[in-house]
Amino acid sequence: MTTPSPPVADPEERGVRLVVVLLGLTVVSGLIDAVSYLGLGRVFTANMTGNVVVLGFAAAGAPGFSVPHTATSLACFLLGAVAGGRVAARYGKGSRRRWARLTLAAETLLVGASAAVAFAWPDTPGTRYALIALTAFAMGLRNATVRKLGIPDLTTTVLTMTLTGLASESRFGDATGHRSPRRTASVIAMLAGAALGAWLVLHHGLGIPLLISAVLSGVLAVVASGRE
């Protein structure tokens, strides 16, 4: 009588669940928007909803806002999203683990490059544009990937619908919420990233929070699995 072979482990199961990875990326988004808004002239490079509003303020001549900075962020984010779409078209039907790791590796390189620029050439106009372009492109690439992965309630950059779901589907609303822990964790992750990023920018400049963002993205790239 032959002994049955042990089941072969699914490579997609190896690593950290995508839900946890996306929560980590939400922390990174808070860090990066703290850098961009507080250190690069009131511009967002992860949150494009806020950026469109900021562009409207700048176009109307509101003091403290810049049309060139905001337009650069929007343009580079869109280019990153195009690149993310191309990557999804090529790898999206195969291994989600490989696809997620590839995209996060690219984000790590882009944010790491922005950290290197911030350390090497601080406080120059060219540095400001370089940091906006690099981080916005990275966030566009990531957002396109997260959208295609389709993990509910974890966009990593926008919390409006997450907060709406928390309130409207709570026991005070229609009491149908079944992903409240995930939504709550997403809000906490963004808040924690923004608070840490703001403290680092105010006390240590732009390079350190960008370096931390790159390291965290790199760790998530190494450990990500393909399972939700």
Side-chain angles (χ1 to χ4, degrees):
M1 184 175 181
T2 59
T3 304
S5 314
V8 178
D10 183 357
E12 292 296 290
E13 297 291 319
R14 297 175 189 163
V16 177
R17 293 173 56 202
L18 286 172
V19 167
V20 178
V21 170
L22 296 186
L23 286 172
L25 292 176
T26 305
V27 175
V28 173
S29 294
L31 282 162
I32 287 179
D33 266 342
V35 168
S36 62
Y37 194 82
L38 297 176
L40 300 177
R42 292 190 180 182
V43 59
F44 292 104
T45 58
N47 177 6
M48 288 301 116
T49 304
N51 226 23
V52 170
V53 174
V54 166
L55 183 61
F57 294 162
F65 299 96
S66 166
V67 170
H69 290 165
T70 312
T72 298
S73 179
L74 280 167
C76 291
F77 182 93
L78 292 174
L79 288 173
V82 169
R86 300 280 295 198
V87 172
R90 180 165 184 177
Y91 297 102
K93 295 180 182 178
S95 165
R96 290 215 304 179
R97 179 171 173 262
R98 182 187 180 197
W99 174 26
R101 290 185 173 194
L102 178 66
T103 304
L104 290 178
E107 176 177 327
T108 300
L109 292 174
L110 288 162
V111 178
S114 72
V117 170
F119 282 122
W121 298 284
D123 302 322
T124 70
T127 293
R128 181 170 291 186
Y129 278 104
L131 298 186
I132 290 171
L134 287 165
T135 57
F137 189 95
M139 293 300 98
L141 176 66
R142 186 224 286 174
N143 271 266
T145 303
V146 170
R147 176 180 171 84
K148 295 293 184 180
L149 286 171
I151 309 296
D153 294 309
L154 288 173
T155 66
T156 77
T157 55
V158 180
L159 294 179
T160 302
M161 293 308 296
T162 301
L163 289 167
T164 301
L166 269 174
S168 68
E169 297 176 11
S170 70
R171 64 176 181 169
F172 300 106
D174 62 12
T176 61
H178 60 281
R179 287 194 284 267
S180 291
R182 179 182 297 185
R183 291 166 175 163
T184 302
S186 182
V187 174
I188 292 171
M190 181 74 77
L191 179 63
L196 175 60
W199 185 83
L200 289 170
V201 168
L202 293 174
H203 297 282
H204 299 285
L206 305 182
I208 290 178
L210 288 170
L211 180 60
I212 291 172
S213 299
V215 170
L216 183 52
S217 295
V219 170
L220 294 172
V222 170
V223 303
S225 73
R227 60 192 172 121
E228 181 178 333

